[in-house]
Amino acid sequence: MNTAIITAIARRGISGLQLNTRPYTAQSKPTLSFKQFIQRGKVLAMYRKYMRLLKQIPDKKTRKEMREWIRFDFDKYRSETDSQRIEVLLGQANRQFKEMQSSIFSAV
């Protein structure tokens, strides 16, 4: 098919739907510094630790409530960019994780 025809169709849309003609590029996301990249990995690792710990909670309702609480807390600070603040939050998350872990194992 002719590229001019494809471009014209993409601009007008097919059946009222607009097609995105721009290819995905890495420039559409902000580039992280090395420190930000490492911190992001630490945050994701902490989130995964919480999710693995939740699997050990026998009561489904309690597990669901805890999952919602953890997701809410992580989402609340999703837009945080200050690296020192992120380190403080990771420390708090680690302490809360240990408390939660000890309370789960003492209840089981």
Side-chain angles (χ1 to χ4, degrees):
M1 199 177 223
N2 189 344
T3 57
I5 295 171
I6 294 172
T7 306
I9 291 171
R11 285 187 186 144
R12 281 184 262 139
I14 300 172
S15 303
L17 298 175
Q18 293 293 326
L19 299 176
N20 186 1
T21 58
R22 293 188 308 174
Y24 174 79
T25 61
Q27 296 160 347
S28 62
K29 289 186 177 182
T31 305
L32 298 176
S33 70
F34 181 71
K35 187 173 185 174
Q36 290 171 329
F37 176 77
I38 297 298
Q39 280 187 329
R40 181 180 182 271
K42 289 179 182 179
V43 170
L44 291 173
M46 179 61 66
Y47 184 79
R48 286 195 290 282
K49 278 174 61 173
Y50 270 108
M51 292 300 122
R52 282 192 294 271
L53 184 62
L54 288 178
K55 292 178 183 178
Q56 298 173 8
I57 299 175
D59 183 41
K60 288 183 180 182
K61 183 179 178 187
T62 305
R63 190 180 325 136
K64 183 180 177 187
E65 288 172 357
M66 292 300 290
R67 180 177 290 120
E68 289 171 358
W69 171 70
I70 291 165
R71 287 193 65 156
F72 175 78
D73 271 2
F74 274 82
D75 283 341
K76 184 167 50 171
Y77 298 107
R78 180 183 291 253
S79 62
E80 186 65 54
T81 57
D82 182 23
S83 62
Q84 290 178 333
R85 178 75 175 135
I86 293 171
E87 289 297 325
V88 169
L89 291 168
L90 279 170
Q92 289 175 355
N94 199 23
R95 282 190 296 280
Q96 289 177 349
F97 176 82
K98 289 178 182 177
E99 288 177 25
M100 186 174 158
Q101 188 177 33
S102 65
S103 66
I104 288 174
F105 287 125
S106 65
V108 173

